[in-house]
Amino acid sequence: MRRFAVLCLPLALLPAAAGAQGFSALVSPPRFEDRAKPGSVYRNVVEITNVSARAARYTLKTADWTMDAHGAVAFDTALAPGSCRPWVGLEAAQIDVAANGKRRYRFEVAVPADALAGECRFAILLEGEPESAGGALALPVSGRIGIIVYLAVGEAAARLRVVETTTAQVDGQRVPVLRVRNEGNAHTRLEGLIDGIDAGGRRYGLQPSSLPILPGETRTLALTPQADDADSAPPALAYPLQLKGALEWDRQTLPLDLRLTP
């Protein structure tokens, strides 16, 4: 069974008020990316840590989710068409974790024997108990963390092609962007560095956005020039810009050899 990288997606039910409510939970890992065969039961464990000085009670449930063009995730507890959530079993709907304590929480996915090759995607929502936000209305709020699970079933795999290369303004700088289409039946991410030479002859390594490319999705991914050290701002690019090299995904390569003007 193959294992991949992890990413954290913490969200608050009411972002403006959640910080005042003492929702102090951490999860590890915050994301699972794995494989399972039809007819098998996939099992795994997430470690939940209560980093507050008082005991906490959490509720857990599954949800479907979507991601917008900027990487923001929206959860929905209504069952989406074709959702694999009926395959999912959770250890408990509610747990108590002592102050500064940890709890190993189990979940499983019973993949049907007749499941077609594809990707089972869902979230496990960890929520704190509602507390008063204070103020005149004293509205109840609660914190939330979404643990994302990607489970490739059978021979599911991503299949990428670049549909457009252009430039766009990202974080105050014009950078190269790729529009990449995933024509496969599993998600993936682009990795690696592309060599760039700008109009002044300066050389840079450009790194792609780490956002996932879901099956059937066309995602716009920025290529960001990397600074010489972690404390420096990304260098400004002078166009025209020559890009050459290859990015990687699932042991495959996506070659690039192009010249971009702003």
Side-chain angles (χ1 to χ4, degrees):
M1 191 171 288
R2 191 168 56 161
R3 188 158 314 240
F4 304 90
V6 292
L7 156 76
C8 187
L9 290 169
L11 296 179
L13 192 60
L14 293 175
Q21 300 311 303
F23 178 72
S24 302
L26 299 174
V27 297
S28 179
R31 188 183 76 206
F32 294 86
E33 294 178 280
D34 223 329
R35 284 191 172 271
K37 296 179 180 179
S40 69
V41 178
Y42 172 84
R43 296 183 175 91
N44 219 319
V45 175
V46 59
E47 185 173 81
I48 300 167
T49 303
N50 174 16
V51 296
S52 73
R54 61 177 180 174
R57 175 166 292 176
Y58 304 113
T59 59
L60 295 104
K61 57 190 174 186
T62 64
D64 289 299
W65 57 272
T66 56
M67 179 181 291
D68 69 16
H70 305 290
V73 175
F75 299 113
D76 191 348
T77 55
L79 200 63
S83 173
C84 66
R85 285 166 53 204
W87 306 352
V88 181
L90 301 180
E91 177 182 342
Q94 192 174 79
I95 61 172
D96 294 312
V97 183
N100 298 308
K102 294 183 180 182
R103 166 75 182 266
R104 287 171 60 80
Y105 184 85
R106 296 170 294 177
F107 69 94
E108 66 180 33
V109 184
V111 184
D114 60 353
L116 300 177
E119 189 167 66
C120 172
R121 294 189 302 274
F122 62 95
I124 300 172
L125 298 184
L126 173 76
E127 296 180 337
E129 289 190 303
E131 300 179 23
S132 173
L137 296 179
L139 296 175
V141 299
S142 62
R144 172 189 285 182
I145 295 175
I147 304 157
I148 303 297
V149 180
Y150 300 85
L151 191 64
V153 175
E155 299 303 316
R159 188 159 54 92
L160 302 185
R161 68 179 177 91
V162 177
V163 297
E164 184 182 15
T165 57
T166 184
T167 64
Q169 201 77 11
V170 178
D171 294 331
Q173 180 178 192
R174 183 157 292 277
V175 298
V177 296
L178 306 177
R179 284 180 47 79
V180 182
R181 177 77 178 168
N182 184 353
E183 297 174 338
N185 54 6
H187 85 293
T188 192
R189 291 176 176 81
L190 287 176
E191 299 177 332
L193 289 173
I194 289 291
D195 293 326
I197 304 177
D198 74 5
R202 292 169 295 183
R203 294 179 177 270
Y204 305 102
L206 292 98
Q207 188 173 42
S209 164
S210 62
L211 290 175
I213 311 167
L214 303 183
E217 176 182 75
T218 300
R219 183 166 287 282
T220 300
L221 303 173
L223 296 176
T224 306
Q226 300 303 291
D228 292 334
D229 58 76
D231 296 326
S232 300
L237 298 172
Y239 290 86
L241 182 68
Q242 183 71 38
L243 300 179
K244 189 168 185 178
L247 297 173
E248 299 178 353
W249 54 280
D250 299 350
R251 301 181 184 178
Q252 301 188 56
T253 59
L254 187 68
L256 292 174
D257 189 354
L258 52 106
R259 187 174 186 269
L260 290 173
T261 56

